[in-house]
Amino acid sequence: MKALIIGRKREKLENYCLSKGWSIFKGAAEETEKWDVLVVWNVDEITRKLIEIIGKEKKNLVVVSEGIDTTTPLGRHIFDIILKFLKINKNKENKGDAIKKGMIKKAKLGKFLGSAHPYGYNYKNGRLIVNRKEALWVKKIFELYLQGYSLKNIAEYLNSRKVPTKRGGKWKKQTIANILKNPIYCGFLKWDNIVTEGEHKAIIDKETFENVQKILKAKVLR
């Protein structure tokens, strides 16, 4: 039997192979026709690629420090469990990649991708629809900020008039900040660093939004 050695403690691994009567192959793992068993010291030295090669080419694996040896029935059973685990994870990764690609495609088309629609909008038939009552308060928030009101002042202003948030709670500084920073209100959507013009109707004009961003940025730099 020919052994392929990978990783640390090479001298100990070579001695292990010699004690088994195995010859040592000094080449690449991809040359599967030239070796029969992969020998490593620790399990963390086995990459996904190596495990896939072992599974596909029906090679054996020995992890010396862990006592795993697929030349034995128990060792083969343990390795089969590892293969099943990797297959499940790979399917999840592939599914996740497909979902992300679909999301990116929708984002580039200007479609809303959020799980919860923002204040000022309702969500109907896959589209954002302006909530007229809330939209008036969105405009007021931008107006007050441009007049010099602080985030805290604006939150207090809305709470004093018993204006509920989207979830019916009280306004906080961060909630106000999130609205002021969200390009959705001037007709744009942002998802995963992708900014595109949305299908929805804007509540705030672009100039107002940009003026607010300048003030916000200036305050951060102080």
Side-chain angles (χ1 to χ4, degrees):
M1 187 174 285
K2 293 182 179 179
L4 172 65
I5 294 173
I6 288 179
R8 308 185 298 272
K9 302 192 177 183
R10 189 173 185 86
E11 186 177 345
K12 287 187 176 182
L13 295 178
E14 287 180 352
N15 290 334
Y16 176 88
C17 292
L18 292 174
S19 71
K20 289 281 189 177
W22 300 341
S23 60
I24 298 170
F25 167 66
K26 296 181 179 180
E30 288 77 12
E31 299 177 81
T32 53
E33 73 282 357
K34 296 181 180 180
W35 59 274
D36 307 294
V37 55
L38 173 67
V39 182
V40 298
W41 183 258
N42 210 324
V43 71
D44 62 8
E45 295 172 306
I46 312 169
T47 63
R48 179 188 290 274
K49 183 179 179 181
L50 285 172
I51 290 179
E52 289 177 347
I53 288 174
I54 294 167
K56 183 180 179 181
E57 302 295 334
K58 305 296 182 184
K59 300 295 181 179
N60 283 303
L61 169 69
V62 172
V63 184
V64 177
S65 67
E66 304 289 340
I68 297 174
D69 183 352
T70 65
T71 62
T72 67
L74 178 60
R76 173 53 62 178
H77 177 67
I78 293 172
F79 184 68
D80 286 343
I81 292 173
I82 294 172
L83 280 180
K84 287 178 182 178
F85 175 76
L86 286 175
K87 186 176 181 181
I88 290 170
N89 277 358
K90 188 174 182 180
N91 288 338
K92 286 182 179 178
E93 287 173 5
N94 290 339
K95 186 177 180 181
D97 288 342
I99 290 171
K100 186 170 183 179
K101 286 178 181 177
M103 296 284 273
I104 290 173
K105 184 178 180 180
K106 286 184 177 181
K108 288 181 177 178
L109 291 173
K111 296 183 181 295
F112 178 66
L113 301 175
S115 57
H117 48 283
Y119 187 84
Y121 291 95
N122 294 328
Y123 190 64
K124 187 177 181 181
N125 298 326
R127 298 173 69 92
L128 288 174
I129 307 298
V130 174
N131 179 314
R132 292 184 180 181
K133 187 175 180 179
E134 291 179 354
L136 291 174
W137 289 112
V138 170
K139 290 179 181 179
K140 192 66 177 179
I141 289 170
F142 277 84
E143 178 187 322
L144 291 173
Y145 192 73
L146 288 175
Q147 288 176 6
Y149 279 63
S150 68
L151 301 178
K152 183 181 178 182
N153 291 155
I154 296 173
E156 290 173 345
Y157 179 93
L158 295 173
N159 289 330
S160 67
R161 286 159 178 76
K162 301 188 184 304
V163 179
T165 62
K166 198 71 172 177
R167 295 183 178 181
K170 289 191 174 183
W171 292 89
K172 297 179 181 179
K173 286 171 56 178
Q174 190 57 52
T175 314
I176 301 298
N178 291 342
I179 287 177
L180 292 173
K181 293 176 183 178
N182 197 338
I184 203 165
Y185 295 110
C186 66
F188 287 81
L189 293 172
K190 183 177 181 180
W191 184 83
D192 198 28
N193 293 322
I194 297 172
V195 179
T196 54
E197 191 169 354
E199 297 179 325
H200 64 287
K201 185 178 179 180
I203 294 175
I204 301 298
D205 63 81
K206 192 175 179 181
E207 184 180 357
T208 297
F209 183 80
E210 289 178 348
N211 287 337
V212 165
Q213 303 318 299
K214 289 176 184 177
I215 298 172
L216 286 168
K217 188 175 181 180
K219 288 188 176 182
V220 170
L221 294 175
R222 285 178 186 174

